Amino acid sequence: MSYWIIFPVIAVAVGLIIKTYGQESRPAGRIATKKENVRDKKMIHRARYREMSSCDSVMPVGWAPLRIIDSESIELRDIFDAIVEIYRQKTEKFYQYDFSHEYQLLGRLRNIISIYHGGLWEQTDRIDFSDERTRWVYMYRYMLRHVHLVFYACELTANEEIRRICPGYRAPNVCMIGGGPGTDVLGLSMFLLKQRNPLSPYPLFAGINVLDRCTAWADSWESLRRHLPEKYRRGIPEVRYHEFDYLENRLPWTCREVVREADIVTMIKSMSPAAAWLNSKERVFTNRIRPYDIQPYDRSTPILEWHSVYDIMLHMRDGAYLFYIDNKTGPQREILMGAAREFKFEIIFHRVLHGVSLPTDVFSPDAREVIGAMGGYEPCSCTGTNEVIILCKSE
C-alpha cells in the first residue's frame, strides 16, 4: 500500500480523536479564534472542577475540604458557644470545693430528660430551677432547639403576619410568659437582626419583661448575655424578671401592669409543663358570675372556671398580639383557645410544624468537647410536632 494513502488516513483518525476530546488541531502559529478561546476556557474549568471533586483522594493528611456554613448555623453556634463558656467558668468555680461537679450535672440532666420525655403535659412533678446546675443542664439540652424553633416560626410567617407584630419602624414592647433563660428573647432577636442593618445602634425592643416561676433565671441570662456576640449585647435591652406561676389564678399587680403595656405577649413552650394542672383544676367560680374586675365585658355569659391564662388575656390591651408555640399533644391549645374565644381574640396565623430540626454544623470543636463530658447526651436537635398560633385582641 502506498504511503500516499496511509498518511491521510492516519491524519484523519488523529484529527477525529482530538476533536472528540474537545480540542481542535490548529496549524502552528495560527491565532485562535474567539470561539476557540471560549471553548478552551470551559475545558480548563471542567478539569479544575474534576480535580476539586476528587480532592479527598489527594488531600494531605490532617486537612479537610472547605465547608461553607450558612449564617443561621453561625448564629446558633455562637449562642451555644456562650452556653459552653458558662460551663467552663462554672466548672472552674465548683471544682475548687466539689470534685463531683460533672457527676451532679449528669444526674440532673438525666432527671430532666426523664421528665420531658415522659409526656410533659401529664407530669405533676415540677423541676426545681432554683438550682444553678439544673438551670445550666436545661440550657444545654433544650435552649438551642427552642431558640431555633422561635426563629423558624418567625421566618415562616415573615411574608404573612409577623411584620404586623414586629414592624420595622418601631421597636415592640414584649412580655414573655415563662421565658426562662431567654429562649424567646434570642429567637426573636435572631429574626429581627436579620431584618435590619446589623450596624444599627438602636435596640431591637422597647422593653423586655419575663414572667417566670423562677426569677433565678435572671442570673443565668446575665451569664449568657456576657458571652453573646456584640450585636446581641447591643440590640437587646435590659431584661426584667418578675415572679409568676401558671398555678396561681390571679396575676400579681406588677405582672398585670407588664401585660397591659406589652405589644406582644409570648407563650412559647411554657404552658405545657402546667397544662396537667390547668386542665384538671377544680372550678373556682361555681355561681356562674364573672369576677368583679371583668368589666366592661358582658357579664351575662358565665365563666365556670378561672385561671392564670384567662387573667393574662383579660389584661392584654386591645390590638396586642399573643405569639404561642407549644406541643400539639396535650390540652394546652384547648386552654388557650377557650380564653381566646372569651375575650374576642382573632386568629391571624395557625400552622402545625412537624419535626423542625437544627441545621447541621452548629457545634464548634469546643462544644463537642463539652458534649463528650456530658456522657454523650447531645443537645436536642428536633422539636417534634408543635403548633404556632398568633392571636390579636380585637379593639
Side-chain angles (χ1 to χ4, degrees):
M1 185 180 294
S2 174
Y3 291 109
W4 295 105
I5 299 175
I6 295 176
F7 284 155
V9 171
I10 294 175
V12 170
V14 171
L16 288 173
I17 293 171
I18 294 175
K19 190 173 183 179
T20 302
Y21 284 88
Q23 297 180 0
E24 182 177 347
S25 178
R26 289 194 299 267
R30 183 169 72 80
I31 299 175
T33 64
K34 182 177 180 180
K35 182 178 179 180
E36 291 169 346
N37 281 331
V38 170
R39 185 183 57 226
D40 290 346
K41 287 180 180 179
K42 288 182 179 179
M43 291 175 58
I44 292 171
H45 284 304
R46 288 171 185 164
R48 288 177 178 174
Y49 175 78
R50 285 194 294 269
E51 290 178 9
M52 292 172 64
S53 63
S54 60
C55 64
D56 291 339
S57 60
V58 297
M59 188 70 66
V61 176
W63 287 36
L66 178 63
R67 306 181 74 178
I68 300 175
I69 303 176
D70 58 64
S71 59
E72 179 184 332
S73 298
I74 293 173
E75 298 284 343
L76 294 170
R77 172 176 289 196
D78 289 340
I79 291 171
F80 195 77
D81 280 348
I83 298 173
V84 167
E85 190 58 34
I86 295 175
Y87 167 84
R88 296 188 184 281
Q89 292 187 353
K90 297 300 182 183
T91 298
E92 293 176 2
K93 168 189 169 183
F94 283 118
Y95 268 163
Q96 294 178 5
Y97 58 87
D98 186 358
F99 292 100
S100 65
H101 170 59
E102 289 186 351
Y103 291 102
Q104 293 193 43
L105 286 178
L106 281 172
R108 286 161 172 78
L109 180 57
R110 294 189 186 102
N111 181 53
I112 283 182
I113 291 173
S114 66
I115 291 175
Y116 275 76
H117 288 199
L120 187 60
W121 66 273
E122 297 176 331
Q123 296 291 333
T124 55
D125 295 335
R126 307 184 77 188
I127 299 172
D128 180 16
F129 286 115
S130 62
D131 177 71
E132 186 175 11
R133 291 186 175 99
T134 302
R135 293 199 302 274
W136 184 85
V137 296
Y138 175 87
M139 294 167 69
Y140 165 82
R141 179 73 176 179
Y142 298 109
M143 186 172 185
L144 198 65
R145 178 184 75 170
H146 290 172
V147 170
H148 177 250
L149 177 62
V150 175
F151 171 78
Y152 182 89
C154 290
E155 287 275 284
L156 186 69
T157 63
N159 296 324
E160 301 183 44
E161 299 296 343
I162 197 69
R163 296 191 189 281
R164 290 169 56 184
I165 300 178
C166 301
Y169 58 84
R170 183 173 63 85
N173 196 332
V174 184
C175 171
M176 300 176 173
I177 310 295
T183 51
D184 307 11
V185 177
L186 290 173
L188 283 172
S189 297
M190 275 184 65
F191 173 76
L192 293 175
L193 283 169
K194 188 176 179 179
Q195 306 303 311
R196 74 167 191 174
N197 185 346
L199 300 178
S200 174
Y202 301 106
L204 297 170
F205 306 95
I208 302 176
N209 289 275
V210 176
L211 276 54
D212 202 284
R213 180 169 61 96
C214 177
T215 55
W217 279 120
D219 297 332
S220 299
W221 165 252
E222 286 303 317
S223 299
L224 181 70
R225 185 177 182 274
R226 286 195 292 269
H227 304 298
L228 291 172
E230 197 268 338
K231 63 181 178 181
Y232 287 98
R233 299 195 303 272
R234 183 179 65 243
I236 300 175
E238 178 187 2
V239 179
R240 297 183 176 90
Y241 279 76
H242 310 270
E243 188 172 357
F244 159 81
D245 195 336
Y246 272 113
L247 273 57
E248 298 293 332
N249 291 330
R250 301 283 184 164
L251 289 175
W253 181 83
T254 54
C255 294
R256 290 185 183 186
E257 292 302 309
V258 167
V259 171
R260 285 192 183 107
E261 295 173 1
D263 302 308
I264 306 169
V265 174
T266 66
M267 292 182 180
I268 298 175
K269 307 292 282 189
S270 63
M271 196 189 298
S272 49
W277 184 88
L278 291 170
N279 193 48
S280 62
K281 68 184 296 295
E282 296 180 0
R283 295 174 177 178
V284 294
F285 296 103
T286 57
N287 57 359
R288 304 179 67 82
I289 299 177
R290 291 174 180 248
Y292 68 94
D293 59 357
I294 200 69
Q295 296 177 355
Y297 294 97
D298 179 18
R299 299 169 66 91
S300 60
T301 304
I303 292 181
L304 300 182
E305 63 180 40
W306 190 267
H307 50 63
S308 52
V309 179
Y310 279 99
D311 221 35
I312 291 167
M313 300 180 80
L314 165 66
H315 290 99
M316 288 176 62
R317 66 170 181 81
D318 292 344
Y321 293 90
L322 190 147
F323 189 20
Y324 167 92
I325 305 176
D326 217 322
N327 303 328
K328 190 175 186 300
T329 56
Q332 52 270 10
R333 181 185 181 277
E334 296 177 7
I335 295 169
L336 174 75
M337 298 311 297
R341 288 188 294 269
E342 194 65 44
F343 300 116
K344 298 179 174 62
F345 277 77
E346 175 190 1
I347 300 176
I348 64 173
F349 184 84
H350 179 211
R351 186 74 58 83
V352 176
L353 305 181
H354 299 280
V356 178
S357 299
L358 288 172
T360 57
D361 297 324
V362 296
F363 299 120
S364 66
D366 288 343
R368 289 291 178 188
E369 290 184 11
V370 174
I371 291 172
M374 289 295 101
Y377 288 102
E378 294 194 356
C380 276
S381 60
C382 184
T383 58
T385 304
N386 291 271
E387 283 188 284
V388 180
I389 303 174
I390 299 177
L391 304 173
C392 180
K393 192 168 186 179
S394 301
E395 300 183 8

